[in-house]
Coordinates of all heavy atoms in Angstrom, one line a residue:
M1 N 86.7 40.7 -54.3 CA 86.7 41.8 -55.2 C 85.8 41.6 -56.4 O 85.8 40.6 -57.0 CB 88.2 42.0 -55.7 CG 88.4 43.2 -56.5 SD 90.1 43.4 -57.1 CE 91.0 43.7 -55.6
T2 N 84.9 42.6 -56.6 CA 84.0 42.5 -57.7 C 84.7 42.8 -59.0 O 85.8 43.4 -59.0 CB 82.8 43.4 -57.5 OG1 83.2 44.8 -57.6 CG2 82.1 43.2 -56.2
Q3 N 84.0 42.5 -60.1 CA 84.6 42.8 -61.4 C 84.9 44.3 -61.6 O 85.9 44.6 -62.2 CB 83.7 42.3 -62.5 CG 84.3 42.3 -63.9 CD 83.5 41.6 -64.9 OE1 82.3 41.4 -64.8 NE2 84.1 41.1 -66.0
D4 N 84.1 45.1 -61.0 CA 84.3 46.6 -61.1 C 85.5 47.0 -60.3 O 86.0 48.1 -60.5 CB 83.1 47.3 -60.7 CG 81.9 47.2 -61.7 OD1 82.2 46.9 -62.8 OD2 80.8 47.3 -61.2
D5 N 86.0 46.2 -59.4 CA 87.2 46.5 -58.6 C 88.5 46.0 -59.1 O 89.5 46.1 -58.4 CB 87.0 46.0 -57.2 CG 85.8 46.6 -56.4 OD1 85.5 47.8 -56.8 OD2 85.3 46.0 -55.5
S6 N 88.5 45.5 -60.3 CA 89.7 44.9 -60.9 C 89.8 45.4 -62.3 O 88.8 45.7 -63.0 CB 89.7 43.4 -60.7 OG 88.7 42.8 -61.4
F7 N 91.0 45.3 -62.8 CA 91.3 45.7 -64.2 C 92.1 44.7 -64.9 O 93.0 44.1 -64.3 CB 92.1 47.0 -64.2 CG 91.3 48.2 -63.7 CD1 91.3 48.5 -62.3 CD2 90.6 49.0 -64.5 CE1 90.6 49.5 -61.8 CE2 89.8 50.1 -64.0 CZ 89.9 50.3 -62.6
T8 N 91.8 44.4 -66.2 CA 92.6 43.5 -67.0 C 93.9 44.2 -67.4 O 94.0 45.4 -67.2 CB 91.8 43.1 -68.3 OG1 91.7 44.2 -69.1 CG2 90.5 42.4 -68.0
L9 N 94.8 43.5 -67.8 CA 96.1 44.1 -68.3 C 95.8 45.1 -69.4 O 96.3 46.2 -69.4 CB 97.0 43.0 -68.8 CG 98.4 43.5 -69.4 CD1 99.1 44.3 -68.3 CD2 99.2 42.3 -69.9
D10 N 94.9 44.7 -70.4 CA 94.6 45.6 -71.5 C 93.9 46.9 -70.9 O 94.3 48.0 -71.4 CB 93.7 45.0 -72.5 CG 94.4 44.0 -73.4 OD1 95.7 44.0 -73.4 OD2 93.8 43.1 -73.9
E11 N 93.0 46.8 -70.0 CA 92.4 48.0 -69.4 C 93.4 48.8 -68.7 O 93.3 50.1 -68.8 CB 91.3 47.5 -68.4 CG 90.1 46.9 -69.1 CD 89.1 46.3 -68.2 OE1 89.5 45.8 -67.1 OE2 87.9 46.1 -68.5
S12 N 94.3 48.2 -68.0 CA 95.3 49.0 -67.2 C 96.2 49.7 -68.2 O 96.5 50.9 -68.0 CB 96.2 48.0 -66.4 OG 95.4 47.3 -65.5
I13 N 96.6 49.1 -69.3 CA 97.5 49.8 -70.3 C 96.7 50.9 -70.9 O 97.3 52.0 -71.1 CB 98.0 48.7 -71.3 CG1 99.0 47.8 -70.6 CG2 98.7 49.4 -72.5 CD1 99.4 46.6 -71.4
T14 N 95.5 50.6 -71.3 CA 94.6 51.7 -71.9 C 94.5 52.9 -71.0 O 94.6 54.0 -71.4 CB 93.3 51.1 -72.3 OG1 93.4 50.1 -73.2 CG2 92.4 52.2 -72.9
A15 N 94.3 52.6 -69.7 CA 94.1 53.7 -68.8 C 95.4 54.5 -68.6 O 95.4 55.7 -68.6 CB 93.7 53.2 -67.4
Q16 N 96.5 53.8 -68.5 CA 97.8 54.5 -68.4 C 98.1 55.3 -69.6 O 98.6 56.5 -69.5 CB 99.0 53.5 -68.2 CG 100.3 54.2 -68.0 CD 101.5 53.2 -68.1 OE1 101.5 52.3 -68.9 NE2 102.5 53.5 -67.3
K17 N 97.9 54.8 -70.8 CA 98.1 55.6 -72.0 C 97.2 56.8 -72.0 O 97.7 57.9 -72.4 CB 97.8 54.7 -73.3 CG 98.9 53.7 -73.6 CD 98.5 52.9 -74.8 CE 99.6 52.0 -75.2 NZ 99.3 51.3 -76.5
A18 N 96.0 56.7 -71.6 CA 95.1 57.9 -71.6 C 95.5 58.9 -70.6 O 95.5 60.1 -70.9 CB 93.6 57.4 -71.2
L19 N 96.0 58.4 -69.4 CA 96.5 59.4 -68.4 C 97.7 60.1 -68.9 O 97.9 61.3 -68.7 CB 96.8 58.6 -67.1 CG 95.6 58.1 -66.3 CD1 96.0 57.1 -65.3 CD2 94.8 59.3 -65.7
R20 N 98.7 59.4 -69.5 CA 99.9 60.0 -70.1 C 99.5 60.9 -71.2 O 100.1 62.0 -71.3 CB 100.9 58.9 -70.5 CG 101.4 58.1 -69.3 CD 102.5 57.1 -69.8 NE 103.7 57.8 -70.2 CZ 104.6 58.2 -69.4 NH1 104.5 58.1 -68.1 NH2 105.7 58.8 -69.9
S21 N 98.6 60.5 -72.1 CA 98.2 61.4 -73.2 C 97.6 62.7 -72.7 O 97.9 63.8 -73.2 CB 97.2 60.6 -74.1 OG 96.8 61.5 -75.1
A22 N 96.7 62.6 -71.7 CA 96.1 63.8 -71.1 C 97.1 64.8 -70.6 O 96.8 66.0 -70.5 CB 95.1 63.4 -70.0
L23 N 98.3 64.3 -70.2 CA 99.3 65.2 -69.7 C 100.3 65.6 -70.8 O 101.3 66.3 -70.5 CB 100.1 64.5 -68.5 CG 99.3 64.3 -67.2 CD1 100.1 63.4 -66.3 CD2 99.0 65.6 -66.6
G24 N 100.1 65.0 -72.0 CA 101.0 65.3 -73.0 C 102.3 64.6 -72.9 O 103.4 65.0 -73.5
L25 N 102.3 63.5 -72.2 CA 103.6 62.7 -72.0 C 103.7 61.7 -73.1 O 102.8 61.2 -73.6 CB 103.5 62.0 -70.6 CG 103.4 62.9 -69.4 CD1 103.2 62.0 -68.1 CD2 104.7 63.7 -69.2
P26 N 105.0 61.4 -73.4 CA 105.2 60.4 -74.5 C 104.9 59.0 -73.9 O 104.8 58.8 -72.7 CB 106.7 60.5 -74.8 CG 107.3 61.1 -73.5 CD 106.2 62.0 -72.9
E27 N 104.8 58.1 -74.8 CA 104.6 56.7 -74.4 C 105.8 56.2 -73.5 O 106.9 56.6 -73.8 CB 104.6 55.8 -75.7 CG 104.3 54.3 -75.4 CD 104.1 53.5 -76.6 OE1 104.4 53.9 -77.7 OE2 103.6 52.4 -76.5
E28 N 105.5 55.5 -72.5 CA 106.5 55.0 -71.6 C 107.3 53.9 -72.2 O 106.7 53.0 -72.9 CB 105.8 54.5 -70.3 CG 106.8 54.2 -69.2 CD 106.1 54.1 -67.8 OE1 104.9 53.9 -67.8 OE2 106.8 54.1 -66.8
V29 N 108.6 53.9 -72.0 CA 109.5 52.9 -72.6 C 110.3 52.3 -71.5 O 110.8 53.0 -70.6 CB 110.4 53.5 -73.6 CG1 111.4 52.5 -74.2 CG2 109.6 54.2 -74.8
F30 N 110.4 51.0 -71.5 CA 111.1 50.3 -70.4 C 112.4 49.7 -70.9 O 112.4 49.0 -71.9 CB 110.2 49.2 -69.8 CG 108.9 49.7 -69.3 CD1 107.8 49.6 -70.1 CD2 108.9 50.2 -68.0 CE1 106.6 50.1 -69.6 CE2 107.6 50.7 -67.5 CZ 106.5 50.6 -68.3
P31 N 113.5 49.9 -70.1 CA 114.8 49.2 -70.5 C 114.6 47.7 -70.3 O 113.7 47.3 -69.5 CB 115.8 49.8 -69.5 CG 115.0 50.3 -68.4 CD 113.7 50.7 -68.9
V32 N 115.4 46.9 -70.9 CA 115.2 45.5 -70.9 C 115.2 44.9 -69.5 O 114.4 44.0 -69.2 CB 116.3 44.7 -71.8 CG1 117.7 44.9 -71.2 CG2 115.9 43.3 -72.0
E33 N 116.0 45.5 -68.6 CA 116.0 44.9 -67.2 C 114.7 45.2 -66.5 O 114.2 44.3 -65.8 CB 117.2 45.5 -66.4 CG 117.3 47.0 -66.3 CD 118.1 47.6 -67.4 OE1 118.4 47.0 -68.4 OE2 118.3 48.8 -67.3
A34 N 114.1 46.3 -66.7 CA 112.8 46.6 -66.1 C 111.7 45.7 -66.8 O 110.8 45.2 -66.1 CB 112.4 48.1 -66.3
F35 N 111.8 45.6 -68.1 CA 110.8 44.7 -68.8 C 110.8 43.3 -68.3 O 109.8 42.7 -67.9 CB 111.0 44.8 -70.3 CG 110.2 43.7 -71.0 CD1 108.8 43.9 -71.2 CD2 110.8 42.6 -71.5 CE1 108.1 43.0 -71.9 CE2 110.1 41.6 -72.2 CZ 108.7 41.8 -72.4
V36 N 112.0 42.7 -68.2 CA 112.2 41.3 -67.7 C 111.6 41.2 -66.3 O 110.9 40.3 -65.9 CB 113.6 40.8 -67.8 CG1 113.8 39.5 -67.2 CG2 114.0 40.7 -69.3
G37 N 112.0 42.2 -65.5 CA 111.4 42.2 -64.1 C 109.9 42.2 -64.1 O 109.3 41.5 -63.2
M38 N 109.3 43.0 -65.0 CA 107.8 43.1 -65.0 C 107.2 41.8 -65.4 O 106.1 41.5 -65.0 CB 107.4 44.2 -65.9 CG 107.7 45.6 -65.4 SD 107.3 47.0 -66.4 CE 106.5 46.4 -67.9
V39 N 107.8 41.0 -66.3 CA 107.2 39.8 -66.8 C 107.8 38.5 -66.1 O 107.6 37.4 -66.6 CB 107.3 39.6 -68.3 CG1 106.5 40.8 -69.0 CG2 108.8 39.6 -68.8
S40 N 108.5 38.7 -65.0 CA 109.1 37.6 -64.3 C 108.1 36.6 -63.7 O 108.5 35.4 -63.7 CB 110.1 38.1 -63.2 OG 111.2 38.7 -63.7
D41 N 106.9 37.0 -63.4 CA 105.9 36.0 -63.0 C 105.6 35.0 -64.1 O 105.6 33.8 -63.9 CB 104.6 36.7 -62.6 CG 104.6 37.4 -61.2 OD1 105.5 37.0 -60.4 OD2 103.8 38.3 -61.0
E42 N 105.5 35.6 -65.3 CA 105.2 34.7 -66.5 C 106.4 33.9 -66.8 O 106.3 32.7 -67.2 CB 104.8 35.6 -67.7 CG 103.4 36.3 -67.5 CD 103.4 37.5 -66.6 OE1 104.5 38.0 -66.2 OE2 102.3 37.9 -66.2
I43 N 107.6 34.5 -66.7 CA 108.8 33.7 -67.0 C 108.9 32.5 -66.0 O 109.2 31.4 -66.5 CB 110.1 34.6 -66.9 CG1 110.1 35.6 -68.0 CG2 111.4 33.8 -66.9 CD1 111.2 36.7 -67.8
E44 N 108.6 32.8 -64.8 CA 108.7 31.7 -63.8 C 107.7 30.6 -64.2 O 108.1 29.4 -64.1 CB 108.3 32.2 -62.4 CG 108.3 31.2 -61.3 CD 107.9 31.7 -60.0 OE1 107.3 32.8 -59.9 OE2 108.2 31.0 -59.0
Q45 N 106.5 30.9 -64.6 CA 105.5 29.9 -65.0 C 106.0 29.1 -66.2 O 105.8 27.9 -66.3 CB 104.2 30.5 -65.2 CG 103.5 31.1 -64.0 CD 103.3 30.1 -62.9 OE1 102.8 29.0 -63.1 NE2 103.8 30.4 -61.7
H46 N 106.6 29.8 -67.2 CA 107.1 29.1 -68.4 C 108.2 28.2 -68.0 O 108.3 27.1 -68.5 CB 107.5 30.1 -69.4 CG 106.4 30.6 -70.3 ND1 105.9 29.9 -71.4 CD2 105.6 31.7 -70.2 CE1 104.9 30.6 -71.9 NE2 104.7 31.7 -71.2
R47 N 109.1 28.6 -67.1 CA 110.2 27.7 -66.7 C 109.6 26.5 -66.0 O 110.1 25.4 -66.2 CB 111.1 28.5 -65.7 CG 112.0 29.5 -66.4 CD 112.8 30.3 -65.4 NE 113.8 31.1 -66.1 CZ 114.6 32.0 -65.4 NH1 114.5 32.1 -64.1 NH2 115.5 32.7 -66.0
K48 N 108.6 26.7 -65.1 CA 108.0 25.5 -64.5 C 107.3 24.6 -65.5 O 107.2 23.4 -65.2 CB 107.0 26.0 -63.4 CG 107.6 26.6 -62.2 CD 106.5 27.1 -61.2 CE 107.1 27.6 -60.0 NZ 106.1 28.1 -59.0
A49 N 106.9 25.1 -66.6 CA 106.3 24.3 -67.6 C 107.3 23.7 -68.6 O 107.0 23.0 -69.5 CB 105.3 25.2 -68.5
G50 N 108.6 23.9 -68.2 CA 109.7 23.2 -69.0 C 110.3 24.0 -70.1 O 111.1 23.5 -70.9
K51 N 109.9 25.3 -70.2 CA 110.4 26.2 -71.3 C 111.8 26.7 -70.9 O 112.0 27.0 -69.7 CB 109.5 27.3 -71.5 CG 108.1 27.0 -72.0 CD 108.1 26.5 -73.4 CE 106.6 26.4 -73.8 NZ 106.4 25.8 -75.0
S52 N 112.7 26.8 -71.8 CA 114.0 27.4 -71.6 C 113.9 28.9 -71.8 O 112.9 29.4 -72.3 CB 115.0 26.9 -72.6 OG 114.7 27.3 -73.9
D53 N 114.9 29.6 -71.3 CA 114.9 31.1 -71.5 C 115.0 31.4 -73.0 O 114.4 32.4 -73.4 CB 116.1 31.7 -70.8 CG 115.9 31.7 -69.2 OD1 114.8 31.4 -68.8 OD2 116.8 32.1 -68.5
Q54 N 115.6 30.5 -73.8 CA 115.6 30.7 -75.2 C 114.2 30.6 -75.8 O 113.8 31.4 -76.7 CB 116.5 29.7 -75.9 CG 116.7 30.0 -77.4 CD 117.3 31.4 -77.7 OE1 118.3 31.8 -77.1 NE2 116.7 32.1 -78.6
D55 N 113.4 29.6 -75.3 CA 112.0 29.5 -75.7 C 111.2 30.7 -75.4 O 110.4 31.2 -76.2 CB 111.4 28.3 -75.0 CG 112.0 27.0 -75.4 OD1 112.5 26.8 -76.5 OD2 111.9 26.0 -74.5
I56 N 111.5 31.3 -74.2 CA 110.8 32.4 -73.7 C 111.1 33.6 -74.5 O 110.3 34.4 -74.9 CB 111.0 32.7 -72.2 CG1 110.5 31.5 -71.4 CG2 110.5 34.0 -71.7 CD1 111.0 31.4 -69.9
A57 N 112.4 33.8 -74.8 CA 112.9 34.9 -75.7 C 112.2 34.8 -77.0 O 111.8 35.9 -77.6 CB 114.4 34.8 -75.8
A58 N 112.0 33.6 -77.6 CA 111.4 33.5 -78.9 C 109.9 33.9 -78.8 O 109.4 34.5 -79.7 CB 111.5 32.0 -79.4
I59 N 109.2 33.6 -77.7 CA 107.8 34.0 -77.6 C 107.7 35.5 -77.5 O 106.9 36.1 -78.2 CB 107.2 33.4 -76.3 CG1 107.1 31.9 -76.4 CG2 105.9 34.0 -76.0 CD1 106.8 31.1 -75.2
I60 N 108.6 36.1 -76.8 CA 108.6 37.6 -76.6 C 108.9 38.2 -78.0 O 108.2 39.2 -78.4 CB 109.7 38.1 -75.6 CG1 109.2 37.6 -74.2 CG2 109.9 39.6 -75.7 CD1 110.3 37.8 -73.1
E61 N 109.9 37.7 -78.7 CA 110.2 38.2 -80.1 C 109.0 38.1 -81.0 O 108.7 39.0 -81.8 CB 111.5 37.6 -80.6 CG 111.8 38.2 -82.0 CD 113.1 37.6 -82.6 OE1 113.8 36.8 -81.9 OE2 113.4 38.0 -83.7
Q62 N 108.4 36.9 -81.0 CA 107.2 36.7 -81.9 C 106.1 37.7 -81.5 O 105.5 38.2 -82.4 CB 106.7 35.3 -81.7 CG 105.6 35.0 -82.7 CD 105.1 33.5 -82.6 OE1 105.6 32.8 -81.7 NE2 104.3 33.1 -83.4
A63 N 105.9 38.0 -80.3 CA 104.8 38.8 -79.8 C 105.1 40.3 -80.1 O 104.2 41.1 -80.4 CB 104.5 38.6 -78.4
T64 N 106.4 40.7 -79.9 CA 106.7 42.1 -80.0 C 107.5 42.5 -81.3 O 107.6 43.7 -81.6 CB 107.6 42.6 -78.8 OG1 108.8 41.9 -78.9 CG2 106.9 42.2 -77.5
G65 N 108.1 41.6 -81.9 CA 109.0 41.9 -83.0 C 110.4 42.4 -82.5 O 111.2 42.8 -83.3
K66 N 110.6 42.4 -81.2 CA 111.9 42.8 -80.7 C 112.7 41.7 -80.1 O 112.1 40.8 -79.4 CB 111.6 43.8 -79.6 CG 111.0 45.1 -80.1 CD 111.0 46.2 -79.0 CE 110.4 47.4 -79.7 NZ 110.6 48.6 -78.9
R67 N 114.0 41.6 -80.4 CA 114.8 40.6 -79.9 C 115.2 40.8 -78.5 O 115.5 41.9 -78.1 CB 116.1 40.5 -80.7 CG 115.8 39.8 -82.0 CD 117.1 39.4 -82.7 NE 116.7 38.8 -83.9 CZ 117.4 38.0 -84.6 NH1 118.6 37.7 -84.2 NH2 117.0 37.4 -85.7
I68 N 115.2 39.7 -77.7 CA 115.8 39.7 -76.4 C 116.5 38.4 -76.2 O 116.1 37.4 -76.7 CB 114.7 39.9 -75.3 CG1 115.3 40.0 -73.9 CG2 113.6 38.8 -75.4 CD1 114.3 40.4 -72.8
S69 N 117.7 38.5 -75.6 CA 118.5 37.3 -75.5 C 118.1 36.4 -74.3 O 117.6 37.0 -73.3 CB 120.0 37.6 -75.4 OG 120.2 38.2 -74.2
A70 N 118.3 35.2 -74.4 CA 118.1 34.3 -73.2 C 119.0 34.7 -72.1 O 118.6 34.7 -70.9 CB 118.4 32.8 -73.6
E71 N 120.2 35.2 -72.4 CA 121.1 35.7 -71.4 C 120.5 36.9 -70.6 O 120.6 37.1 -69.4 CB 122.4 36.1 -72.0 CG 123.2 34.9 -72.5 CD 122.7 34.4 -73.9 OE1 122.0 35.1 -74.6 OE2 123.1 33.3 -74.2
A72 N 119.8 37.8 -71.4 CA 119.2 39.0 -70.7 C 118.1 38.6 -69.8 O 117.9 39.1 -68.7 CB 118.7 40.0 -71.8
I73 N 117.3 37.5 -70.2 CA 116.3 37.0 -69.4 C 116.8 36.4 -68.1 O 116.4 36.7 -67.0 CB 115.4 36.0 -70.1 CG1 114.6 36.7 -71.2 CG2 114.5 35.2 -69.2 CD1 113.9 35.7 -72.2
A74 N 117.9 35.6 -68.2 CA 118.5 35.0 -67.1 C 119.1 36.1 -66.1 O 119.0 36.0 -64.9 CB 119.6 34.0 -67.5
E75 N 119.7 37.1 -66.7 CA 120.4 38.1 -65.9 C 119.4 39.0 -65.2 O 119.7 39.4 -64.0 CB 121.3 39.0 -66.8 CG 122.0 40.1 -66.1 CD 122.9 41.0 -67.0 OE1 123.0 40.6 -68.2 OE2 123.4 42.0 -66.5
H76 N 118.3 39.4 -65.8 CA 117.4 40.4 -65.2 C 116.1 39.8 -64.6 O 115.3 40.5 -64.0 CB 117.0 41.4 -66.3 CG 118.2 42.1 -66.8 ND1 119.0 42.9 -66.1 CD2 118.7 42.1 -68.1 CE1 120.0 43.4 -66.8 NE2 119.8 42.9 -68.0
Y77 N 116.0 38.4 -64.6 CA 114.8 37.8 -64.0 C 114.8 38.1 -62.5 O 115.8 38.0 -61.8 CB 115.0 36.3 -64.2 CG 114.0 35.5 -63.5 CD1 112.6 35.4 -63.9 CD2 114.4 34.8 -62.3 CE1 111.7 34.6 -63.1 CE2 113.4 34.0 -61.6 CZ 112.1 34.0 -62.0 OH 111.2 33.2 -61.3
A78 N 113.6 38.5 -62.1 CA 113.4 38.8 -60.7 C 112.8 37.6 -60.0 O 111.7 37.1 -60.4 CB 112.5 40.0 -60.5
T79 N 113.5 37.1 -59.0 CA 113.0 35.9 -58.3 C 111.7 36.2 -57.6 O 111.3 37.3 -57.4 CB 114.0 35.4 -57.3 OG1 114.1 36.4 -56.2 CG2 115.4 35.1 -57.9
S80 N 111.0 35.1 -57.2 CA 109.7 35.3 -56.4 C 110.0 36.1 -55.2 O 109.2 37.0 -54.8 CB 109.2 33.9 -56.1 OG 108.0 34.1 -55.4
E81 N 111.1 35.9 -54.5 CA 111.4 36.6 -53.3 C 111.6 38.1 -53.6 O 111.3 39.0 -52.8 CB 112.7 36.1 -52.6 CG 112.5 34.7 -52.0 CD 112.5 33.6 -53.1 OE1 113.1 33.8 -54.2 OE2 111.9 32.5 -52.8
E82 N 112.2 38.4 -54.7 CA 112.4 39.8 -55.1 C 111.1 40.5 -55.5 O 110.9 41.7 -55.2 CB 113.4 39.9 -56.3 CG 114.8 39.5 -55.9 CD 115.8 39.3 -57.1 OE1 115.3 38.8 -58.2 OE2 116.9 39.8 -57.0
R83 N 110.2 39.7 -56.1 CA 109.0 40.3 -56.6 C 108.0 40.4 -55.4 O 107.1 41.3 -55.4 CB 108.3 39.4 -57.7 CG 109.1 39.3 -58.9 CD 108.4 38.6 -60.1 NE 107.8 37.4 -59.7 CZ 108.3 36.2 -59.9 NH1 109.5 36.0 -60.3 NH2 107.6 35.1 -59.6
H84 N 108.1 39.5 -54.4 CA 107.2 39.5 -53.3 C 108.0 39.5 -52.0 O 108.0 38.4 -51.3 CB 106.2 38.3 -53.4 CG 105.6 38.2 -54.7 ND1 104.5 39.0 -55.1 CD2 105.8 37.3 -55.8 CE1 104.2 38.6 -56.4 NE2 104.9 37.7 -56.8
P85 N 108.7 40.5 -51.7 CA 109.6 40.5 -50.5 C 109.0 40.3 -49.2 O 109.7 39.8 -48.3 CB 110.2 41.9 -50.6 CG 109.3 42.8 -51.3 CD 108.6 41.9 -52.3
H86 N 107.7 40.5 -49.0 CA 107.0 40.2 -47.7 C 106.1 39.1 -47.8 O 105.1 39.0 -47.1 CB 106.3 41.5 -47.3 CG 107.2 42.7 -47.2 ND1 108.2 42.8 -46.2 CD2 107.4 43.8 -48.0 CE1 108.9 43.9 -46.4 NE2 108.4 44.5 -47.5
G87 N 106.3 38.2 -48.8 CA 105.4 37.0 -48.9 C 104.1 37.3 -49.4 O 103.1 36.6 -49.2
E88 N 104.0 38.4 -50.2 CA 102.7 38.9 -50.7 C 102.2 38.0 -51.8 O 102.9 37.4 -52.5 CB 102.8 40.3 -51.2 CG 103.3 41.3 -50.1 CD 103.9 42.6 -50.6 OE1 104.0 42.8 -51.8 OE2 104.3 43.4 -49.8

């Protein structure tokens, strides 16, 4: 895949915001369970690096200003099998 065939996270978010704005749609908001599912790849890597769910919650709060509990992370974390059901 060439560089023109891929998008960074920031580019993806910018494009999504532009598409929603062009339709007059409000900013998309995710419930905690969906958010944790979306960042489960990163949660997995932090866990492998020895971080606790409390440590991960603190990183999320520092980055977003929003509190999330370690319990919510544990409850809504999507396993690798759930994220990649066909070994993708």
